[in-house]
């Protein structure tokens, strides 16, 4: 006995049950298509610092759509999931939790106990994120799930570090770096975010040592002058040429520092004189190296001044700034203070203003790695989609500095460098050595620092597949097919994966990089905790369903562009899914269980409407396939939406209803068969976008032989091209639309039937109209169709033109003229009252000046709408009164 669909779709009842079934059947594994060509996506691993947010939902939906599409096309599709240990971000969270719950610091409990708590945190949030991705419908192969600090990935990190070190591409040295005084760790350039700040520019006098005046320098950070070891001028600046090589007295410390000439100086900016603080400015650092200037670091790791700052030692950097400025002013050495808007670097995790300072750290030598990575994209071994994002990639790699990879943290991959406690020898090794190769001592200590999170992330496309072992997965699924990620981490992550992939594997890690934008709020603002405008995707799933959330994300998406979130859109998606459910329920109630056994009979008796919808379906299949291969996912979804809602539900189903209820068996079978075939195709096309509801409906389809998730994706069929039938039915549809428009303009109820008079010199169109009377009777409330001549046209006829066909309707049959005039006069009076009210309100300056702009704009919109409606009412009145 045929199962009957429930009247309404209940996603809560369907989604968890369906997902569990997919998993139990092993559908997420590439082995479901063992002979298929490999298609691989590695998931950008979410940080284990929180829960799924809209960015993850956006990113995950795009990846799942591509994976499901490829799986249905017979590929051995692997979407490999995982999470990132997020070194700094997680350490901040665990340290805060430790302080709040136990009142202790990590130093108080020690490294081992601290790491136990960090691993507990990791396990909790890894599980939470995994569960949330499952709620979204992510068809990841969870049996292959990875974590950046699991045993295999950690082995890969050590392997890569040693390989780079042995090639001379990793070194340890004292260089200028970015330092967060709150996180107390070094940061790479990519981990510093810049924000506009209103500050000051202090102009300070540096007296010439020979007593012959002074030089004026300007700085935004007066406290760093305590670390000055020189001042610089441009070598072609005639104002100062005679001073090069001489000295000035460093104010407050009364110390002689040299005047140097360097091309770095802009002689047209300010006084053309620049203070040199090589230990606290990256540009000064480079100038200092060229002129052998001393590097004097005056800041401690916590942002306080050290002993080299003289009497200011121990002060917080900002307190020191105030004291330095006051002392300069007292000595008459502060020439002026100007307001100054400038970019300030901030820690990407805690937003603390970053300090630049010299520090002994580990670095990756970037120039030898950047060159091949640039060539790979220029030579289209890897392509960015859209291509404009390759400019960000080029710009970063062309201006790259050596990458600081050491972090003064405890959570992360510990640097595989070991120091002999007896002779000081350093050993870099993949596994901990048991003795010193130089002196034989067994007293070795591992480097305390951990690696930048992005070091392990850079290995992600191949470390997750088993590297450094030459695993079967690595052989089959590397290089991966496409990376799906946001434009905000192109230099953080994408560039690193490409140069690491080229270095270790000899080829780029992915062919395509699909770049998506951000999900913003309805006002276009970035979602953030501080603005309180974040949207929880899990709440949306609970309210609307996972499918509705997914479809909203996709239909609003085009590669590289941000999308604005509006609840109305997800409501619209839910309405669409309900429409599909209701249409499927109607169709299935009117199908025989054995309809697919009657294929030959159905095909032999297809009518023009059947051929039209089959031909249109075939066209949509071809177009959607093209869009999907071009990563035009939003366009593909919109086309399926339009076809399913408008052409299938609103037109075809309505057109064939009389045949379903009629007594003619062959035409009924043709309609049933066509309804079944097109519905099945719509479900398959929709499945990657809305997997749950399509799987549920598929289970009711007569003749369905398995789950839709592993069904064959629809492909173009050249036997389903019926151009003439398409033209005929499109012609009829346009005629029906024209009649409906006339009736709508006249406010004629559907219950009131009308005759249709036709003038046409084309006998084929006249025959088609006559043969299609049943369509016009049902869909346009037409009683009869009669051909007439020009001489038969009366004054009270209204008309419409469709191609070579003139359609006339007797207005007197539809409308009681006197009653309509009375109704329109009443409507006009009411509209005039509204126009007068809103016009008076907008003329009141007290309202327009004091009311919020949104409120005033709303009143203007009302005024415009009332006036437009008044014009239409007046047109109708003029028509009836003539």
């Amino acid at each position: 006995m045929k199962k009957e669909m429930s009247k309404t779709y209940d996603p809560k009842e369907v989604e968890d049950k369906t997902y569990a079934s997919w998993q139990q059947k092993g559908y997420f594994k590439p082995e479901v298509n063992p002979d298929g060509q490999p298609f691989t996506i590695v998931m950008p691993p979410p940080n284990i610092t929180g829960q799924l947010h809209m960015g993850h939902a956006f990113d995950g939906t795009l990846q799942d759509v591509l994976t499901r599409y490829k799986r249905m096309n017979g590929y051995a599709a692997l979407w490999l999931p995982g999470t990132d240990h997020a070194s700094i971000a997680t350490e901040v969270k665990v340290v805060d939790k430790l302080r709040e719950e136990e009142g202790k610091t990590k130093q108080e409990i020690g490294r081992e106990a601290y790491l136990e708590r960090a691993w507990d945190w990791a396990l909790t949030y890894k599980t939470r994120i995994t569960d949330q991705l499952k709620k979204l419908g992510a068809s990841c192969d969870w049996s292959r799930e990875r974590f950046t600090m699991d045993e295999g990935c950690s082995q890969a990190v050590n392997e890569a570090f040693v390989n780079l070190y042995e090639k001379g591409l990793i070194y340890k040295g004292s260089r200028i770096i970015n330092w967060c005084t709150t996180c107390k760790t070094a940061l790479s350039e990519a981990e510093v975010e810049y924000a506009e700040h209103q500050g000051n520019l202090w102009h300070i006098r540096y007296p010439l040592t020979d007593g012959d005046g002074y030089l004026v320098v300007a700085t935004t950070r007066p406290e760093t002058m305590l670390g000055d070891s020189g001042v610089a001028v441009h070598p072609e600046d005639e104002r100062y040429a005679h001073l090069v090589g001489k000295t000035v007295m460093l104010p407050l410390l009364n110390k002689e520092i040299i005047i140097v000439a360097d091309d770095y100086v802009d002689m047209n900016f300010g006084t053309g004189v620049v203070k040199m603080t090589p230990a606290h400015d990256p540009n000064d650092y480079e100038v200092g190296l060229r002129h052998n200037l001393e590097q004097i670091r005056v800041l401690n790791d916590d942002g306080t001044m050290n002993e080299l700052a003289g009497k200011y030692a121990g002060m917080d950097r900002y307190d020191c700034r105030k004291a330095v400025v006051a002392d300069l002013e007292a000595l008459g050495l502060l020439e002026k203070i100007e307001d100054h808007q400038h970019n300030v670097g901030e820690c990407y995790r805690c937003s603390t203003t970053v300090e630049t300072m010299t520090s002994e750290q580990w670095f990756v030598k970037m120039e030898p790695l950047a060159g091949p990575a640039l060539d790979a994209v220029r030579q289209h071994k890897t392509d960015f989609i859209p291509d404009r994002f390759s400019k960000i990639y080029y710009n970063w790699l062309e201006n790259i500095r050596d990458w600081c990879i050491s972090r003064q943290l405890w959570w992360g991959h510990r640097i595989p460098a070991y120091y002999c406690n007896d002779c000081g020898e350093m050993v870099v090794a993949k596994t901990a050595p048991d003795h010193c190769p130089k002196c034989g001592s067994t007293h070795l200590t591992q480097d305390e620092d951990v690696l930048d999170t992005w070091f392990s992330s850079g290995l992600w496309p191949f470390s997750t597949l088993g590297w450094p072992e030459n695993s079967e997965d690595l052989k089959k699924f590397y290089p991966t097919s496409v990376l799906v990620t946001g434009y905000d981490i192109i230099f953080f992550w994408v560039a690193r994966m490409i140069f690491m992939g080229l270095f270790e594997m000899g080829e780029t890690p992915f062919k395509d990089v699909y770049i998506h934008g951000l999900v913003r709020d309805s006002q276009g603002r970035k979602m953030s905790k501080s603005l309180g405008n974040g949207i929880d995707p899990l709440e949306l799933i609970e309210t609307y369903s996972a499918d509705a959330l997914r479809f909203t994300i996709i239909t609003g998406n085009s590669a590289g562009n941000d999308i604005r979130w509006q609840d109305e859109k997800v409501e619209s998606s839910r309405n669409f899914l309900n429409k599909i459910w209701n249409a499927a329920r109607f169709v299935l109630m009117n199908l025989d269980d054995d309809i697919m056994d009657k294929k030959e009979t159905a095909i032999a008796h297809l009518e023009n409407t059947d051929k039209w919808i089959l031909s249109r379906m075939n066209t949509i299949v071809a177009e959607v396939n093209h869009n999907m291969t071009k990563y035009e996912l939003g366009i593909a979804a919109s086309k399926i939406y339009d076809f399913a809602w408008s052409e299938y539900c609103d037109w075809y189903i309505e057109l064939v209803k009389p045949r379903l209820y009629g007594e003619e068996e062959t035409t009924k079978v043709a309609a049933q068969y066509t309804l079944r075939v097109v519905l099945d195709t719509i479900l398959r096309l929709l499945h990657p976008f809305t997997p749950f509801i399509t799987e549920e409906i598929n289970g009711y389809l007569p003749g369905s032989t398995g789950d839709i998730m592993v069904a064959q994706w629809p492909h173009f069929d050249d036997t389903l091209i019926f151009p003439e039938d398409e033209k005929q039915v499109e012609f009829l549809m346009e005629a029906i639309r024209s009649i409906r428009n006339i009736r709508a303009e006249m406010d004629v109820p559907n219950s009131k039937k009308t005759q249709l008079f036709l003038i046409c010199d084309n006998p084929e169109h006249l025959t088609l109209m006559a043969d299609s009377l049943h369509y016009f009777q049902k869909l346009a409330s037409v009683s009869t169709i009669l051909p007439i001549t020009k001489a038969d046209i009366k004054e009270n006829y209204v008309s419409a033109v469709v191609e070579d066909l003139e359609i006339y309707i007797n207005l007197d049959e539809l409308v009681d003229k006197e009653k309509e005039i009375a109704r329109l006069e009443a409507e006009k009076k009411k509209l005039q009252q509204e126009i007068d009210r809103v016009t008076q309100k907008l003329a009141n300056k007290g309202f327009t000046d004091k009311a919020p702009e949104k409120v005033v704009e709303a009143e203007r919109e009302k005024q415009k709408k009332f006036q437009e409606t008044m014009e239409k009412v007046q047109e109708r009145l003029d028509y009836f009164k003539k």
Side-chain angles (χ1 to χ4, degrees):
M1 184 175 174
K2 183 165 65 175
K3 289 189 300 179
E4 187 173 326
M5 291 173 65
S6 60
K7 288 186 178 180
T8 56
Y9 174 61
D10 183 0
K12 291 185 178 70
E13 186 182 310
V14 169
E15 292 180 351
D16 290 345
K17 172 193 71 177
T18 303
Y19 195 89
S21 173
W22 289 332
Q23 271 200 280
Q24 188 269 325
K25 292 173 181 175
Y27 288 165
F28 299 163
K29 298 182 179 184
E31 289 82 1
V32 76
N33 292 320
D35 300 322
Q37 182 181 340
F39 172 83
T40 320
I41 293 180
V42 289
M43 177 186 291
N47 291 346
I48 53 158
T49 50
Q51 63 179 29
L52 197 74
H53 56 66
M54 282 300 290
H56 294 127
F58 190 15
D59 204 66
T61 299
L62 293 169
Q63 292 172 83
D64 195 43
V65 168
L66 290 170
T67 304
R68 288 177 182 272
Y69 167 70
K70 288 293 186 177
R71 188 183 290 118
M72 292 177 76
N73 273 284
Y75 284 77
L78 171 61
W79 181 17
L80 197 151
T83 44
D84 194 299
H85 67 283
S87 187
I88 294 179
T90 302
E91 181 130 338
V92 169
K93 296 278 189 182
V94 177
V95 166
D96 287 347
K97 187 171 185 279
L98 185 63
R99 184 183 65 250
E100 291 165 7
E101 295 183 1
E102 302 180 43
K104 293 181 179 179
T105 65
K106 67 177 189 178
Q107 288 80 9
E108 287 174 327
I109 66 169
R111 189 166 193 148
E112 188 174 338
Y114 169 79
L115 288 176
E116 286 178 10
R117 287 161 174 78
W119 275 105
D120 286 344
W121 174 283
L123 181 60
T124 298
Y125 281 92
K126 277 169 58 185
T127 304
R128 183 178 297 182
I129 289 167
T130 296
D131 290 345
Q132 292 165 345
L133 285 165
K134 289 177 179 178
K135 278 283 186 188
L136 185 67
S139 61
C140 309
D141 183 355
W142 296 108
S143 69
R144 287 175 164 91
E145 183 181 4
R146 301 302 300 269
F147 177 51
T148 48
M149 280 183 61
D150 66 28
E151 187 178 346
C153 288
S154 296
Q155 182 188 352
V157 165
N158 286 347
E159 179 85 17
F161 187 98
V162 173
N163 291 346
L164 287 162
Y165 180 80
E166 289 177 347
K167 292 284 187 182
L169 295 175
I170 282 183
Y171 64 93
K172 189 176 186 182
S174 181
R175 292 177 62 91
I176 196 86
I177 53 100
N178 299 295
W179 184 267
C180 176
T181 58
T182 298
C183 298
K184 295 185 179 62
T185 181
L187 303 172
S188 70
E189 287 291 328
E191 292 169 314
V192 179
E193 295 179 342
Y194 290 89
E196 282 284 318
H197 282 250
Q198 183 60 49
N200 297 109
L201 197 59
W202 287 271
H203 294 256
I204 304 168
R205 295 171 178 171
Y206 283 41
L208 290 160
T209 309
D210 61 11
D212 190 19
Y214 52 80
L215 296 178
V216 177
V217 302
T219 181
T220 58
R221 300 158 70 208
E223 69 280 5
T224 63
M225 69 180 290
L226 303 171
D228 284 0
S229 55
V231 295
V233 296
H234 195 278
E236 296 176 8
D237 196 331
E238 295 178 359
R239 293 171 294 176
Y240 306 117
H242 64 291
L243 296 177
V244 175
K246 294 187 177 182
T247 60
V248 292
M249 292 298 293
L250 177 61
L252 306 180
L253 294 183
N254 293 319
K255 168 186 170 185
E256 283 191 50
I257 55 175
I258 192 166
I259 303 168
V260 299
D262 196 277
D263 289 336
Y264 159 71
V265 180
D266 181 355
M267 70 177 85
N268 297 313
F269 181 78
T271 61
V273 184
V274 183
K275 66 190 274 301
M276 290 287 112
T277 319
H280 291 287
D281 182 277
N283 295 311
D284 296 1
Y285 175 81
E286 298 296 337
V287 175
L289 290 178
R290 289 195 287 272
H291 297 278
N292 200 28
L293 298 179
E294 186 181 2
Q295 294 177 13
I296 306 167
R297 178 174 156 170
V298 294
L299 276 165
N300 294 315
D301 290 350
D302 62 357
T304 59
M305 309 306 291
N306 65 23
E307 69 281 357
L308 295 179
K311 71 174 187 176
Y312 307 99
M315 284 187 176
D316 172 78
R317 53 182 168 163
Y318 296 119
D319 292 336
C320 176
R321 178 179 296 178
K322 293 174 186 175
V324 163
V325 170
D327 289 347
L328 287 169
E329 194 164 19
L331 292 169
L333 296 176
L334 187 63
E335 183 159 292
K336 62 178 177 176
I337 305 173
E338 292 178 326
D339 291 336
H340 183 62
Q341 189 92 1
H342 62 132
N343 270 335
V344 175
E346 297 175 346
C347 173
Y348 81 120
R349 282 301 170 195
C350 68
S351 298
T352 298
T353 297
V354 166
E355 289 292 344
T356 48
M357 58 176 72
T358 50
S359 177
E360 188 172 46
Q361 302 286 342
W362 288 90
F363 295 88
V364 174
K365 195 178 290 183
M366 284 306 305
E367 192 175 337
L369 296 169
L374 284 164
D375 290 342
V377 175
R378 287 175 180 144
Q379 294 166 12
H380 297 287
K381 293 174 182 174
T382 292
D383 290 314
F384 280 83
I385 299 153
D387 180 62
R388 68 179 185 272
F389 287 101
S390 60
K391 293 175 185 174
I392 296 173
Y393 176 85
Y394 292 144
N395 184 58
W396 190 69
L397 284 175
E398 285 168 351
N399 297 283
I400 193 102
R401 292 180 177 175
D402 285 358
W403 172 20
C404 176
I405 55 171
S406 45
R407 299 290 180 270
Q408 289 63 55
L409 306 167
W410 286 355
W411 175 244
H413 295 100
R414 203 160 166 183
I415 289 174
Y418 305 85
Y419 306 96
C420 177
N421 297 339
D422 294 325
C423 74
E425 178 74 1
M426 182 181 77
V427 182
V428 172
K430 295 170 188 175
T431 57
D434 54 15
H435 67 277
C436 173
K438 185 174 181 181
C439 72
S441 171
T442 57
H443 302 119
L444 292 105
T445 304
Q446 187 173 359
D447 198 302
E448 291 288 319
D449 291 351
V450 299
L451 283 163
D452 177 11
T453 294
W454 299 102
F455 190 94
S456 54
S457 298
L459 311 176
W460 190 247
F462 47 96
S463 66
T464 52
L465 293 170
W467 185 87
E469 300 299 324
N470 190 24
S471 67
E472 290 303 312
D473 274 1
L474 188 65
K475 285 187 270 189
K476 181 164 186 176
F477 295 110
Y478 188 91
T480 67
S481 307
V482 57
L483 174 75
V484 178
T485 191
Y487 57 68
D488 52 338
I489 57 172
I490 289 173
F491 46 81
F492 268 120
W493 190 41
V494 179
R496 286 181 167 87
M497 283 190 287
I498 291 176
F499 67 66
M500 286 292 209
L502 289 166
F503 177 76
E504 293 292 2
M505 303 296 295
E507 54 187 326
T508 58
F510 24 72
K511 176 64 184 77
D512 295 324
V513 181
Y514 178 92
I515 300 292
H516 62 74
L518 303 176
V519 182
R520 298 184 178 274
D521 70 9
S522 58
Q523 297 177 46
R525 300 174 301 177
K526 187 174 180 179
M527 291 182 182
S528 68
K529 288 180 182 176
S530 59
L531 289 174
N533 63 345
I535 297 171
D536 185 350
L538 296 176
E539 289 182 8
L540 290 169
I541 289 171
E542 180 69 19
T543 304
Y544 298 102
S545 80
D547 285 334
L549 170 60
R550 290 166 61 107
F551 201 70
T552 303
I553 286 172
I554 291 294
T555 50
N557 168 66
S558 59
N561 293 337
D562 294 344
I563 63 173
R564 290 195 179 192
W565 185 263
Q566 293 175 319
D567 285 348
E568 294 83 359
K569 290 181 179 179
V570 73
E571 287 169 7
S572 173
S573 295
R574 180 177 61 185
N575 293 342
F576 170 64
L577 296 175
N578 287 337
K579 177 95 169 177
I580 296 298
W581 180 266
N582 293 333
R585 185 169 180 271
F586 168 80
V587 169
L588 293 170
M589 286 170 61
N590 287 280
L591 291 189
D592 297 331
D593 287 344
D594 62 348
I595 185 60
M596 297 310 290
D597 297 332
K598 302 174 182 178
K599 179 179 177 180
E600 289 186 13
T601 301
I603 289 175
H605 294 88
L606 292 176
E607 297 192 4
N608 60 356
T609 47
D610 305 325
K611 292 179 180 178
W612 162 72
I613 196 68
L614 289 168
S615 192
R616 287 292 304 134
M617 174 193 78
N618 201 33
T619 299
I620 292 299
V621 164
E623 291 179 0
V624 167
N625 270 305
H626 175 76
N627 295 139
M628 296 294 283
T629 59
K630 296 289 185 182
Y631 298 102
E632 296 167 348
L633 309 187
I635 295 173
S638 294
K639 285 180 179 176
I640 301 167
Y641 175 98
D642 291 341
F643 173 73
W645 186 302
S646 177
E647 295 182 86
Y648 184 69
C649 295
D650 286 354
W651 280 104
Y652 181 70
I653 289 177
E654 296 303 319
L655 287 168
V656 299
K657 276 181 180 178
R659 292 162 60 191
L660 297 175
Y661 308 140
E663 295 180 1
E664 175 57 50
E665 182 64 20
T666 55
T667 189
K668 179 179 178 180
V669 166
Q672 286 182 323
Y673 174 79
T674 305
L675 282 166
R676 161 63 173 79
V677 167
V678 179
L679 176 60
D680 178 52
T681 301
I682 288 171
L683 294 177
R684 292 178 193 230
L685 291 175
L686 273 176
H687 178 76
F689 306 98
T690 58
F692 293 109
I693 193 171
T694 50
E695 191 69 88
E696 182 69 7
I697 296 172
N698 178 71
Y700 294 95
L701 275 186
S704 177
T705 56
D707 292 336
I708 198 169
M709 182 178 168
V710 288
Q712 185 179 19
W713 177 262
H715 288 281
F716 180 80
D717 182 350
D718 55 15
T719 66
L720 294 179
I721 295 294
F722 305 109
E724 290 306 314
D725 296 280
E726 275 199 61
K727 284 181 187 176
Q728 285 182 1
V729 176
E730 294 287 355
F731 176 82
L732 294 174
M733 287 165 61
E734 188 57 36
I736 291 168
R737 284 192 200 99
S738 299
I739 299 161
R740 284 174 170 176
N741 288 341
I742 292 171
R743 296 178 67 94
E745 286 174 10
M746 301 298 175
D747 289 328
V748 180
N750 287 334
S751 58
K752 186 171 276 191
K753 302 287 182 181
T754 184
Q755 292 187 93
L756 215 59
F757 302 107
L758 308 179
I759 295 179
C760 186
D761 293 332
N762 185 338
E764 288 183 9
H765 277 167
L766 283 174
T767 302
L768 178 62
M769 292 290 289
D771 291 345
S772 306
L773 173 61
H774 54 294
Y775 295 141
F776 288 88
Q777 288 173 330
K778 176 168 178 51
L779 300 178
S781 296
V782 170
S783 56
T784 57
I785 295 177
L786 297 171
I788 60 172
T789 65
K790 291 280 186 185
D792 297 320
I793 300 173
K794 298 190 170 92
E795 187 179 335
N796 58 346
Y797 283 13
V798 289
S799 67
V801 177
V802 179
E803 294 184 23
D804 54 7
L805 176 71
E806 295 177 37
I807 300 172
Y808 291 89
I809 296 173
N810 185 344
L811 189 60
D812 290 344
E813 284 187 1
L814 296 177
V815 181
D816 183 319
K817 188 182 289 189
E818 296 306 318
K819 284 185 179 179
E820 184 65 7
I821 289 173
R823 188 188 71 78
L824 289 169
E825 289 287 7
E827 187 177 347
K828 180 180 176 182
K829 183 178 179 182
K830 186 178 177 182
L831 276 169
Q832 191 59 55
Q833 289 172 345
E834 291 294 334
I835 291 171
D836 293 343
R837 181 194 62 76
V838 74
T839 302
Q840 187 176 1
K841 194 171 186 179
L842 289 170
N844 181 355
K845 283 190 68 65
F847 169 72
T848 55
D849 292 345
K850 294 178 183 178
E853 181 57 34
K854 281 187 179 180
V855 174
V856 176
E857 189 58 36
E859 290 299 315
R860 291 196 182 105
E861 283 297 316
K862 285 181 189 176
Q863 183 186 45
K864 182 181 176 184
K865 186 178 177 182
F866 289 144
Q867 287 170 340
E868 288 172 351
T869 306
M870 176 66 92
E871 288 174 8
K872 291 177 182 176
V873 168
Q874 189 60 55
E875 283 178 15
R876 298 272 306 280
L877 270 170
D878 292 343
Y879 177 85
F880 284 114
K881 286 181 175 180
K882 66 183 178 181

